[in-house]
Amino acid sequence: MVKILALAGALALTACSQAEPGTALAQAPEAESPTEAAVHPVSGLEIIDVAVVRGDERILFKTELADTPEAQAKGLMFRTELADDEGMLFPSPTPQARSFWMKNTPLSLDIIFIGVDGRISNIAANTVPYSTESVMSQGLASAVFEIRAGLSEELGIVAGDRVEYTLP
């Protein structure tokens, strides 16, 4: 019993300890330490910056990173709000044709497919909430980026624009 308590105490101390300066954990690109990474209050997903670049203009979004199969399967299902400066990014481990639907999604979205060159290949604008009809990438996609419906048109985001982000 004493050994179990000692082990539990050691694990608790290890879990709470911070990385030494200069270690890989302390050098995370989005935060100074792993405990400082921004997390979305609803999804619990890490938030990263995604920029759509049009010439000299950079349109910045605070973006939920759906980087696990579970997070990608859920996406923005059941969500009722998405601010104009928010989005969700679905990176592909390897470039592939991507297909999305709106099942259980009450929000209309613009689904932006990002090609292997980092540029927007196509946009499925103003998707229909709850639809089970697939919207597909034109060619291989390295990632998919979702924003509020109509925002692409309002901001002048078009196929060929570059999308920049850094995965943690």
Side-chain angles (χ1 to χ4, degrees):
M1 181 68 165
V2 173
K3 287 183 181 180
I4 293 174
L5 290 175
L7 180 60
L11 289 174
L13 287 175
T14 302
C16 294
S17 65
Q18 293 186 1
E20 292 297 317
T23 65
L25 291 177
Q27 301 299 318
E30 296 298 319
E32 290 183 21
S33 74
T35 58
E36 294 179 25
V39 175
H40 193 273
V42 176
S43 68
L45 298 175
E46 183 173 353
I47 297 174
I48 65 169
D49 288 334
V50 171
V52 176
V53 180
R54 312 191 72 242
D56 293 335
E57 181 183 12
R58 293 176 59 82
I59 306 166
L60 189 63
F61 296 89
K62 294 296 182 190
T63 303
E64 297 168 65
L65 180 59
D67 61 351
T68 65
E70 297 80 17
Q72 290 199 9
K74 184 174 181 183
L76 289 167
M77 284 183 179
F78 311 108
R79 296 279 287 279
T80 57
E81 296 179 342
L82 189 65
D84 286 354
D85 65 343
E86 294 180 327
M88 184 173 279
L89 183 72
F90 302 78
S92 297
T94 57
Q96 57 188 294
R98 298 293 302 261
S99 175
F100 279 62
W101 64 1
M102 297 295 293
K103 183 177 181 181
N104 298 319
T105 308
L107 294 171
S108 181
L109 301 169
D110 285 352
I111 301 177
I112 300 171
F113 296 94
I114 304 166
V116 296
D117 60 355
R119 295 191 177 277
I120 297 172
S121 58
N122 63 300
I123 301 172
N126 301 303
T127 57
V128 177
Y130 301 106
S131 173
T132 57
E133 185 175 322
S134 291
V135 293
M136 301 181 73
S137 63
Q138 293 175 358
L140 301 179
S142 61
V144 178
F145 182 48
E146 294 180 340
I147 59 177
R148 177 185 62 77
L151 197 54
S152 294
E153 184 176 355
E154 290 172 31
L155 297 174
I157 297 171
V158 296
D161 288 346
R162 197 170 66 247
V163 180
E164 297 177 345
Y165 56 88
T166 301
L167 297 177

